Amino acid sequence: MMSKALRDARDFENQYGPHIPDNERPAYHVTPTIGWMNDPNGFSVYKGEYHLFYQYHPYSNEWGPMHWGHVKTRDFLHWERLPAALAPDADYDRAGCFSGSAVELPDGRQLLMYTGVQRGHTPDGFIQDVQTQCIAVGDGVDFEKTEENPVLDGKDLPQDGSTVDFRDPKLWREDDGNYYAVIGNRTADGSGAILLYRSSDCKKWEFVRTLDRCCNQYGKMWECPDFFPLDGKHVLLTSPQEMTPVGLEFHAGNGTVCLIGDYVPQKKGFSRQFVQAIDYGLDFYAPQTLLTPDGRRIMIAWMQNWSTVGAKPYHCRWFGQTTIPRELSVRDGRLYQNPVRELESARGQCVIHRNIPVSGEVNLPGIQGRVLDMTVTVRPTGEERYRWFRVRVAKDGEHETIIRYRPSQSTLKIDRTRSGLPHDIVHTRSFLVRPRDGEMKMRILLDRYSVEIFVNDGEQAASTVIYTPQEADAITFEAGGAALVDVEKYELRFDDSEES
Ligand code: FRU
C-alpha cells in the first residue's frame, strides 16, 4: 500500500509541477518536476527504456528529507515525467532515501537499491545519522520496500568502516548471475573507501573487498561511486567531499575523481594507474553511468556544486539539473567524454564559417542563441600566433559568460562573473588542456541555463550553470593577436523548443 508520505509527494508534484512553463526549464537537460534535485540515481535500462531517478525534495527549492524523483527516456533528450518513486516513510529511512541505483531483474521487475538514513545522536547530543542499504522492487512506476530492509548495515562493514558514512550503492548484474554493488564508506583515518559487495538475490550480501581507499589524498569521504570496465581498463568514479586544490586538476570542496586501472578479481583487485578530475567546470557532481544495449557507457551527473546551492534565482520553482548524458571512452589512460550521439538528431539549421580571421571582437552572421550545439576551432594564422582567444556566450550589453583559451599556458578558463547571478560565489575556473600547436577545438552546448564544453574531441569536459536572462543570446569571438577560426553551429530543436 502506498504510504501517506509518497501519496503526498505525488499529489504535490501533480498539483504544482505543471505550473512551471516548459520554456522556464532547460530544453533537453533534466530538472525536477517541482522543487529540489541533487544526485542522479538509478540511471539504468528497464524494459528497453532509460530510467533516471534523482534525489528529490519536491516541497521547496532546498535540500530536505530525500525522496526519489523519476523520469524516463528513449533518446536521452526527451524525458517523460513519472511519479515520485520513493519517500522517506519507513523506520530505516525516515531521515531520507539517499542515493542509489537500479537494475532490471530476470523476472521483469525493477529493483532499486538506496541508502536509508536514520536519525541518531552522538553521546554529546549532536545529530548523527546512521546509514544502511535498502531495496525496493516494482514495475517501473510503483515500488514496494522489502521487509528484509535494511539489507546491509553496520554488521556488514569491514572493521574500520563507519556506519555514519556508508552510502550510495551502485548496483549491477554480472554474467555469473550475481549482483555486485560498490558503496562509499568512511574509514578510521577519516577519509573514504569504496567497498565491493556481492549477492545472488540483492537481499543477502557478502563483503568482497575494499576496492580503493582515499588515504586522505583526494578529499575525505568518497561519495557516489561507480565501477565498470571500459576499453580494456577498469574505471572507478567517485565524488570526494572536502577536497583541497591540486594545481589546476582538483579544486576546493566537492570534487570528482576518475581512477583508471586494472581489475583482477582473483588477485589484488583494483590497482589504479591514472587519476584525474572528471569534469573541470564549476558545476558537476555525483555522476552515474549505464550501459546501453549497443554497448555504450553513458554517464550523467548533477550539474551543480554543493558549495553554491544557495546561489539561485529568488523563488525559483525548480532547482538542480543534470548534465547532458555523455558517452565515455578511455584512451591513453584518460577518460574521454562526448555528448550522446542522439543529440545530433536534434540538430536543426546549421551555420558554418571557416577560416575567419579574428582579431578584436567579432560577431559572425547567424551565430547566436541559447539552445544550441556549436563547435569552435581556433588556430594561428600561419606565422602569427595569438596570445588568447575568447568566446563570449549568453551575451547582451550587461551579461556574458566567457570561455578563454591561452595557448602559452595551455589553459582554458570559464568566467561567469557577469552571467547575472547576484551572489558572491566562485565564478571562474581554469584548467590545463593539452597543447596542440596553438589549435584548440571546443564543442559548446548551450541550454538556457547552462554551458557545457567538450575540449578537443572529448579529452576534457567542463560544465557550468548560468541564470542569464534568455534574451541575452549574442555570441562573439575575440583574439589577442590574430587567429583563424572555424565555427559550426546547429540550432537544437525539441518539441517544446522554438528557440535556437
Ligand atoms: C551526494 C550526496 C550523497 C547522498 C545524497 C543525499 O551529493 O551527499 O552522498 O546520498 O547526496 O542527498
Side-chain angles (χ1 to χ4, degrees), residues 314-344:
Y314 184 62
H315 259 13
C316 61
R317 285 172 290 170
W318 62 265
F319 180 75
Q321 55 181 308
T322 62
T323 61
I324 181 84
R326 301 171 181 183
E327 294 187 15
L328 301 185
S329 55
V330 170
R331 255 182 281 163
D332 303 327
R334 278 201 71 85
L335 185 73
Y336 279 67
Q337 308 168 45
N338 281 297
V340 275
R341 61 194 66 169
E342 283 83 347
L343 187 64
E344 283 155 38

Side-chain angles (χ1 to χ4, degrees), residues 38-39 55 63 66 98-99 167-168 223-224 285-286 306:
N38 57 289
D39 314 353
Q55 289 285 279
W63 191 87
M66 280 290 107
F98 276 19
S99 283
R167 60 180 174 271
D168 311 334
E223 303 189 304
C224 301
Y285 201 64
W306 273 115

Side-chain angles (χ1 to χ4, degrees), residues 118-156:
Q118 281 160 272
R119 186 116 301 167
H121 291 92
T122 59
D124 50 0
F126 268 44
I127 288 175
Q128 190 178 54
D129 292 343
V130 173
Q131 303 188 331
T132 61
Q133 316 315 320
C134 307
I135 58 174
V137 180
D139 61 0
V141 178
D142 297 310
F143 299 87
E144 191 98 20
K145 295 176 182 172
T146 131
E147 56 190 28
E148 285 88 350
N149 279 339
V151 294
L152 272 164
D153 62 17
K155 300 191 295 301
D156 305 296

